Amino acid sequence: MDSGDDSHRIAQSPVVHVRGLCEAVVEADLVEALEKFGPICYVMMMPFKRQALVEFEMVESADKCVACGSSEAVYIAGQQAFFNYSTSKRITRPTNSDNPNSGNKVLLLSIQNPLYPITTDVLYTVCNPIGSVMRIVIFKRNGIQAMVEYPFCLCAQKAKAALNGADIYAGCCTLKIEYARPTRLNVIRNDNESWDYTKPYLVRRERGKGRQRQAILGEHPSSYGDNGYGSHCPLLPLPGNSRYKLSSHDIPEVVAYPLPQSSSYNHGSSSVAMVSGLHPAKMNCTRIFNLFCLYGNIEKVKFMKSVPGTALVEMGDEYAVDRAITHLNSIKVFGKRLNVCVSKQHAVIPSQVFELEDGSSSYKDFAMTRNNRFTSQGQASKNIIQPPSCVLHYYNVPPCISEDQLLRLCSEHDVPGFTKFKMFDAKPSSKTISGLLEFDSKTHAVEVLTVLNHYQIRIPNGSNPYTLKLCFSTSSHL
């Protein structure tokens, strides 16, 4: 149980570390609950950890906050929160401004766990009810990020408070918002990844018809229901306790999801990905599954005899293909750079089956495997969609397995060993353990996951083996 006793172990700071937040909390909830202690100049949300950093203008305000949290319950969005001084004296801003109160009319949005495609339509629908959006640019250098430009700093400030920490769709596509460095965005074309709403003549595709302004997009895009992840629901009643704190005249009584159209969908609408640049001796159907299953269900994998080093991967739907392209295109695996794109094929047909260099079959059907991670809506929501990183999260490992045994497993399979190891505390009754493995590079982590994901760990006198599960961690280092 958290206690205020440890608040004196860390030096006083105007920055307070807040823990124990509920999943639904947004920046505005923190400001509303804590501004009674003094003026707040910056908030940084950590949604998946259910934590936040709050920077007060004066250290005396932070003192009041920590002291109050130690002596009585302080509630944020209806749930008791816990407070301590941060080891930082100031929250680092992307703008690196010396003025702690400085803002910007351009916001930097990081979309965490992007289970569904993020387009300009989606972000406009989310951001425009707060204030008139002028320009949006989406980029995918490190995961999915976007910049949204408002006409005034005040609009951006309101949007940051209302949306920072919110989910675009239930349980995923979580927004982490900061002020951006640029003060204006340059947009040269209007499409899925950039849009200038002040220049309609840049339009190069047909806009979705009948789109209504809204601030929440529901469980998932409506077309996703057609793929077995829920019922088709084109209209969603707005919840009564709106987290966006807008007045009633700002919001229609019923809101509609934007429907991804094939004419405006960046990567087409096929559920088959084509992967080239595969190492001929080290990649096979199973290893492709081990890597691609992080982004959606895998139905079938087939290597093409006519094009060496190329395979077709049939996934559960076109959204899975989009996620695979976003996160896996151009990564290096076994010294070769992958090229992942949408295939013109709409299904993988098991023709021309042959033997790969490692002796395995060029075709494999994974439709019935238990290792697919998106077989139900509940299971899919547990996956954290992450770009490849140098830290792997391991789980479903028997408690008797040690750090040395995991290192030996890497050595036996001729893949790089990890440099740092962390095991999470487990309940005494837990039958498995989990933790983190840090590698020297992202490429090393990718190769280990490709080879060892779903490895069967057998223990002496054990009836059934344990299936080692690996995924990319949200942590950048240990």
Side-chain angles (χ1 to χ4, degrees):
M1 181 175 178
D2 285 285
S3 167
D5 293 342
D6 62 348
S7 62
H8 302 292
R9 299 175 190 170
I10 300 175
Q12 288 177 305
S13 166
V15 181
V16 172
H17 183 197
V18 187
R19 309 181 303 281
L21 297 170
C22 66
E23 291 183 358
V25 74
V26 294
E27 180 178 321
D29 297 319
L30 283 150
V31 174
E32 183 180 348
L34 303 181
E35 63 184 355
K36 63 184 179 183
F37 300 115
I40 294 170
C41 55
Y42 206 79
V43 175
M44 188 178 82
M45 303 294 293
M46 295 180 275
F48 287 116
K49 296 181 179 180
R50 295 170 61 191
Q51 300 174 10
L53 294 177
V54 177
E55 182 179 330
F56 289 93
E57 288 187 6
M58 298 177 291
V59 72
E60 291 79 10
S61 303
D63 291 342
K64 292 177 185 176
C65 178
V66 174
C68 183
S70 302
S71 59
E72 61 184 80
V74 176
Y75 291 88
I76 299 176
Q79 181 164 309
Q80 184 179 359
F82 303 92
F83 308 89
N84 199 352
Y85 295 112
S86 170
T87 53
S88 304
K89 300 299 181 185
R90 181 175 182 270
I91 297 175
T92 303
R93 282 81 152 162
T95 53
N96 282 336
S97 171
D98 290 331
N99 179 2
N101 296 302
S102 66
N104 189 0
K105 64 179 182 175
V106 180
L107 296 177
L108 173 64
L109 280 60
S110 298
I111 294 87
Q112 301 180 328
N113 196 17
L115 190 60
Y116 305 114
I118 300 299
T119 65
T120 48
D121 274 346
V122 169
L123 293 182
Y124 180 89
T125 309
V126 168
C127 297
N128 197 61
I130 316 295
S132 297
V133 171
M134 297 179 70
R135 298 170 190 89
I136 297 175
V137 174
I138 298 173
F139 47 98
K140 301 175 180 178
R141 285 195 295 270
N142 184 23
I144 297 181
Q145 293 182 301
M147 290 189 188
V148 178
E149 181 183 345
Y150 285 97
F152 309 108
C153 287
L154 183 60
C155 296
Q157 184 182 3
K158 289 181 178 178
K160 182 176 180 291
L163 300 174
N164 194 8
D167 294 340
I168 295 178
Y169 299 110
C172 64
C173 302
T174 304
L175 294 171
K176 182 179 179 182
I177 304 177
E178 299 172 291
Y179 294 113
R181 286 178 182 268
T183 56
R184 189 185 186 282
L185 299 180
N186 182 35
V187 174
I188 59 174
R189 64 180 179 275
N190 289 348
D191 58 20
N192 266 352
E193 297 193 344
S194 63
W195 202 284
D196 188 332
Y197 298 94
T198 69
K199 296 179 180 179
Y201 57 82
L202 291 178
V203 175
R204 294 185 182 176
R205 64 171 175 83
E206 183 181 338
R207 297 281 285 159
K209 296 179 180 178
R211 183 187 62 198
Q212 296 178 335
R213 288 171 54 176
Q214 65 208 55
I216 188 168
L217 304 187
E219 293 287 332
H220 46 67
S222 57
S223 62
Y224 212 61
D226 300 333
N227 295 309
Y229 285 83
S231 59
H232 181 79
C233 178
L235 296 176
L236 175 78
L238 195 75
N241 56 338
S242 172
R243 283 156 48 188
Y244 299 93
K245 305 188 188 308
L246 303 181
S247 56
S248 59
H249 67 269
D250 289 325
I251 314 170
E253 289 184 6
V254 178
V255 294
Y257 308 149
L259 226 122
Q261 304 291 332
S262 58
S263 61
S264 64
Y265 196 53
N266 242 8
H267 302 301
S269 58
S270 172
S271 59
V272 179
M274 184 169 73
V275 188
S276 57
L278 297 166
H279 193 287
K282 294 186 177 182
M283 289 300 284
N284 56 33
C285 294
T286 298
R287 290 182 175 183
I288 289 176
F289 173 87
N290 288 345
L291 181 59
F292 278 71
C293 73
L294 271 60
Y295 304 105
N297 286 337
I298 309 297
E299 300 289 327
K300 302 164 190 169
V301 178
K302 183 181 84 168
F303 278 77
M304 301 173 69
K305 192 168 188 177
S306 58
V307 189
T310 301
L312 297 177
V313 182
E314 183 177 339
M315 304 189 75
D317 50 58
E318 65 267 27
Y319 295 132
V321 172
D322 180 78
R323 293 192 293 269
I325 292 170
T326 297
H327 297 298
L328 298 180
N329 186 40
S330 295
I331 68 166
K332 291 189 76 172
V333 187
F334 301 122
K336 297 179 71 67
R337 194 170 297 280
L338 296 190
N339 182 5
V340 187
C341 63
V342 174
S343 170
K344 294 179 181 178
Q345 306 294 325
H346 288 274
V348 170
I349 309 300
S351 58
Q352 287 189 303
V353 178
F354 59 98
E355 191 175 277
L356 298 177
E357 286 191 27
D358 67 353
S360 66
S361 173
S362 65
Y363 169 82
K364 194 166 183 179
D365 189 325
F366 294 95
M368 301 304 291
T369 178
R370 296 177 63 183
N371 291 329
N372 268 319
R373 303 182 184 185
F374 295 77
T375 52
S376 68
Q377 189 172 358
Q379 189 186 38
S381 66
K382 294 178 182 178
N383 296 304
I384 304 298
I385 306 298
Q386 278 289 112
S389 70
C390 63
V391 180
L392 295 181
H393 174 209
Y394 71 88
Y395 57 104
N396 201 48
V397 171
C400 60
I401 296 296
S402 66
E403 177 182 355
D404 288 341
Q405 287 172 299
L406 287 175
L407 272 173
R408 196 178 309 127
L409 188 63
C410 293
S411 176
E412 289 171 354
H413 288 81
D414 197 27
V415 291
F418 48 87
T419 56
K420 292 182 182 178
F421 170 87
K422 179 179 180 180
M423 184 188 298
F424 296 144
D425 293 333
K427 296 178 180 178
S429 59
S430 178
K431 296 180 180 179
T432 62
I433 57 172
S434 61
L436 300 175
L437 307 172
E438 182 177 342
F439 295 83
D440 277 334
S441 67
K442 179 172 68 176
T443 299
H444 286 178
V446 169
E447 292 175 1
V448 170
L449 183 141
T450 301
V451 173
L452 294 181
N453 198 11
H454 307 121
Y455 177 78
Q456 299 288 294
I457 300 177
R458 299 184 181 276
I459 58 173
N461 303 319
S463 55
N464 296 315
Y466 290 74
T467 301
L468 169 64
K469 300 284 185 76
L470 296 170
C471 63
F472 297 115
S473 171
T474 55
S475 303
S476 57
H477 56 82
L478 300 187

